[in-house]
DNA sequence: TATTGTTATACTCTATAACTATA
DNA sequence: TATAGTTATAGAGTATAACAATA
């Protein structure tokens, strides 16, 4: 097979794997906690941040495509009592999203099933050496892509 | 780092890489040919099938989540003259989607830019050995996931 | 009675731009 | 004047279920 064709196939495998995993996750997360995958990933990002807090803009830049999309999702998470929003101390314009105790509890509740899906769907097909290689390569790719893809903030600036 | 944490990170890298690549693709495909990524992938799947033809059900099972979703997209592609739909010969219920000459031309037109995005976003970050390992691992994962995730047809049967 | 494909309906999500408030 | 965040609007896409036609 030509090199290009093999690489294109790897790309399609990456896309398909991500999409198929998301379908499994959506089912599992909905069943175990009434969460969409996007909502789960927002909660997970907050939970691992220092003190469970992040500025809305920073959260939008790492997680979601537009700020309005984040406001929409944050509204749903806040209505469900899983996060709350606080005005920033230093900069009165900014808003900080904070995961609540309920949010952490729900995350704990859905996490085992989530990990099981990742294990079964992604890693049972690989031996340890392959799994390591996959993790290394994906992280390198991801880092490169983050430099390449303009953040929500940069996109907004460009429009203006 | 615990094994679980490292694996979860690999999973998030997979999801993020796929999402970031899709953002780049959507821009490029829209610019070069007015196509969404989903429409492009449907055309690409048809183009590589024998005679450029595939039954709607088979196409739905490999590409898209629900049959109605495929009908919707096929309607747009047909209106743009990129595919046409024919009644099946053997089974009068079935419909076969066929890529048109215009469809193949458009695919040729957007493909160089598409390959360039994959090269720059995905493979420039990797050496040849890493790229091979990534391709192998992703294909193993993908194959496993295809067994695990119920197809559109199976989902429909389950509901009934 | 089961299956193929389409469609009607309702819903979720997204993005753009307009807006408010602060820097 | 620029930035942070929200919101109003409008559009794209999705899924479910109901449907018609064929097996």
């Amino acid at each position: 097979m030509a090199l290009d064709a093999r690489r294109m196939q790897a790309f399609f495998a990456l896309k398909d794997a991500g999409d198929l995993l998301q379908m499994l996750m959506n089912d599992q997360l909905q069943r175990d906690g009434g969460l969409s995958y996007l909502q789960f990933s927002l909660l997970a990002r907050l939970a691992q941040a220092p003190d469970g807090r992040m500025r809305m803009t920073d959260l939008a830049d790492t997680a979601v495509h537009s700020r309005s999309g984040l406001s929409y999702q944050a509204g749903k998470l806040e209505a469900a009592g899983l996060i709350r929003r606080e005005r920033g101390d230093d900069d009165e314009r900014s808003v900080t999203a904070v995961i609540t105790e309920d949010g952490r509890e729900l995350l704990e509740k859905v996490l085992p099933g989530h990990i099981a899906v990742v294990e079964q769907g992604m890693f049972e097909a690989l031996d340890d050496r392959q799994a390591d290689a996959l993790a290394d390569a994906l992280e390198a790719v991801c880092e490169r892509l983050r430099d390449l893809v303009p953040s929500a903030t940069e996109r907004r600036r460009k429009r203006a």
Side-chain angles (χ1 to χ4, degrees), chain A residues 10-77:
Chain A
F11 160 70
F12 282 117
L14 173 68
K15 272 302 298 169
D16 286 353
D19 291 346
L20 291 166
L21 276 169
Q22 177 155 353
M23 289 177 73
L24 290 177
M25 307 266 124
N26 271 331
D27 286 353
Q28 179 260 320
L29 292 168
Q30 196 63 49
R31 205 169 43 237
D32 293 355
L35 291 172
S36 71
Y37 173 76
L38 178 56
Q39 290 165 349
F40 163 78
S41 74
L42 286 171
L43 283 182
R45 266 175 236 264
L46 279 180
Q48 71 171 20
D51 296 322
R53 13 189 346 113
M54 238 189 257
R55 265 185 54 198
M56 290 293 278
T57 293
D58 297 334
L59 198 50
D61 281 349
T62 62
V64 133
H65 304 168
S66 73
R67 286 199 194 173
S68 65
L70 178 58
S71 283
Y72 175 79
Q73 293 294 344
K76 304 201 92 176
L77 291 173

Side-chain angles (χ1 to χ4, degrees), chain A residues 54-107:
Chain A
M54 238 189 257
R55 265 185 54 198
M56 290 293 278
T57 293
D58 297 334
L59 198 50
D61 281 349
T62 62
V64 133
H65 304 168
S66 73
R67 286 199 194 173
S68 65
L70 178 58
S71 283
Y72 175 79
Q73 293 294 344
K76 304 201 92 176
L77 291 173
E78 194 168 42
L82 304 172
I83 70 168
R84 65 175 185 280
R85 282 181 279 190
E86 300 177 353
R87 278 249 161 271
D89 314 326
D90 48 334
D91 186 337
E92 281 287 322
R93 290 172 304 182
S94 75
V95 171
T96 299
V98 191
I99 189 169
T100 63
E101 208 42 56
D102 281 0
R104 289 203 191 264
E105 271 173 35
L106 185 59
L107 208 50

